[in-house]
Amino acid sequence: MIGDGGRMETRAINAAEFFAGIGLVRTALEPLGVRIVWANDIKQAKFDAYYANYPDAEDHFKVDDICDISGESLPSEIELATSSFPCIDLSLAGNRRGLLGKQSGMFWQFARVVKELPKKPRVILLENVHGFATSHGGNDLADALRCLNELGYSLDVMAIDARHFVPQSRPRMFIVGIAKEELPKNAHVGIPEISDVRPAWVRKIHEAHNENINMHYLDLPGLPEGPKDLGAVVEHNVPPGAWWDEQRVEAFVGSLSDGQRARFESLRTADRLHYRTAYRRTRQGVSMWELRRDAIAGCLRTTGGGSSKQALVELGHGREPRIRWMTPREYANLMGATDYKLVAGTPNQQLFGFGDAVVVDVVRWIGKHYLIPVLRPDNEPGDG
């Protein structure tokens, strides 16, 4: 289509956002020409956050249990379907019930809805934790790949750690399905070489299923190196009361192991300011705090138990240490959502929403280098 200025305009890519959460898939892909025409999540609080940032969600976001959604109720022309289905039953920190679990088993409902669509999406994108690959000895992933294959998709498996884009260690695996009849000419069939997005364990997945499931892979650029410290994401204008009092700081320091305390002191007496994140752990029945070795955040999680929340520790110049919980804005920054409006929900609901979301920069990278070239091969996506 030619615009008023004679410039070629690319038709938007209509997409459905399953398990949409607070909308970070939309945040990632919309600048690349993806238009969300349907979204779903079961939690009202997540819709509230989504709606605060995307008011048009009122027209297309369905707050409902996916079990009660039929494919026939979705818009007819969907080219891309994304699904960041619950990870709790797949996570190594979870119960490991796998796809038999009540939460992660929602994968089957996603597959059912796709099957019921009058016209299947040309491309699907799934995201979950690395534990998906080992759940029930790898059988859960094999069953999921077979299911998607039977729906008519050729499949590619990748792994990306968000630390290549933001100062957070957040390893995730991705499955890209392309309708078999639309597999691009530059797609390879066979076993991919080891690369940034396909490390040895991912290559083994391709090896294990290459002969009995339609698998493919695309050549992708290397991942960026990523930031090395938290400085750019720290929120400096927090209320004074956010910092812990002296007694609480002393309790924190008192719980450190000898090795942890040595690290703490080394940073405290350094000639520049350092930020570290810390988790509460239980070691041999004793609750204690542990600082990360590196200067990036650990994987953000949904708020719940004590080990799910990260504290921010400020050390350096020989000053008294300062410690506090990380803020919703810092969580947003660590998820690549620096412009996200924090106007809906309680702080805990905001922390939960980001801990349960995708990293914007990672999904945008996949969109730019994979999804858009497949869905709009003649279009050059903008920087993202």
Side-chain angles (χ1 to χ4, degrees), residues 69-221:
I69 291 172
S70 67
E72 291 85 353
S73 68
L74 272 66
S76 58
E77 296 295 325
I78 293 173
E79 294 187 77
L80 171 66
T82 68
S83 174
S84 184
F85 62 99
C87 68
I88 188 168
D89 300 306
L90 298 169
S91 171
L92 297 179
N95 54 47
R96 297 296 274 172
R97 294 191 184 98
L99 295 187
L100 296 175
K102 183 177 180 180
Q103 300 294 322
S104 298
M106 290 299 104
F107 164 82
W108 302 113
Q109 294 297 324
F110 164 74
R112 174 189 59 78
V113 174
V114 170
K115 185 176 182 179
E116 291 174 356
L117 288 171
K119 183 179 180 181
K120 74 183 175 195
R122 297 170 58 200
V123 175
I124 57 174
L125 172 67
L126 285 76
E127 177 264 0
N128 217 288
V129 295
H130 284 189
F132 190 11
T134 56
S135 178
H136 290 148
N139 290 328
D140 280 344
L141 178 59
D143 289 343
L145 293 175
R146 276 192 291 269
C147 172
L148 298 173
N149 200 205
E150 290 168 2
L151 289 176
Y153 293 100
S154 175
L155 306 162
D156 189 2
V157 180
M158 302 180 295
I160 300 177
D161 192 329
R163 70 188 304 155
H164 290 279
F165 301 90
V166 294
Q168 178 195 174
S169 175
R170 192 179 186 85
R172 291 292 186 268
M173 64 179 293
F174 296 86
I175 300 172
V176 178
I178 302 176
K180 296 172 190 175
E181 65 274 14
E182 301 220 25
L183 206 60
K185 292 181 180 179
N186 63 337
H188 305 288
V189 176
I191 311 301
E193 296 294 326
I194 292 176
S195 65
D196 284 352
V197 297
R198 299 185 187 90
W201 67 269
V202 170
R203 188 177 191 271
K204 289 180 179 178
I205 292 172
H206 283 263
E207 287 177 340
H209 303 295
N210 186 60
E211 304 221 345
N212 52 24
I213 294 175
N214 290 97
M215 302 282 290
H216 73 272
Y217 65 95
L218 298 186
D219 294 323
L220 294 168

Side-chain angles (χ1 to χ4, degrees), residues 11 96 126 151-152 172 229 243 255 297 347 354 376 379 383:
R11 179 171 50 88
R96 297 296 274 172
L126 285 76
L151 289 176
R172 291 292 186 268
D229 66 75
W243 295 101
S255 78
F354 287 111
R376 295 290 184 271
N379 180 39
D383 291 338

Side-chain angles (χ1 to χ4, degrees), residues 228-229 266-276 295 315-318:
K228 300 297 183 185
D229 66 75
S266 175
L267 294 168
R268 188 184 67 81
T269 57
D271 57 5
R272 69 179 182 88
L273 206 59
H274 291 270
Y275 293 100
R276 288 290 189 276
L315 298 164
H317 300 303

Side-chain angles (χ1 to χ4, degrees), residues 278-325:
Y279 275 119
R280 185 185 293 277
R281 307 290 195 193
T282 300
R283 303 295 186 191
Q284 297 179 340
V286 178
S287 178
M288 56 201 312
W289 283 95
E290 293 183 357
L291 291 169
R292 277 188 67 91
R293 292 179 178 274
D294 54 19
I296 67 173
C299 184
L300 300 183
R301 303 176 189 171
T302 55
T303 51
S307 66
S308 68
K309 294 178 67 176
Q310 291 185 69
L312 181 74
V313 184
E314 182 186 271
L315 298 164
H317 300 303
R319 302 189 313 214
E320 289 300 313
R322 297 204 299 173
I323 307 173
R324 60 171 171 80
W325 295 116

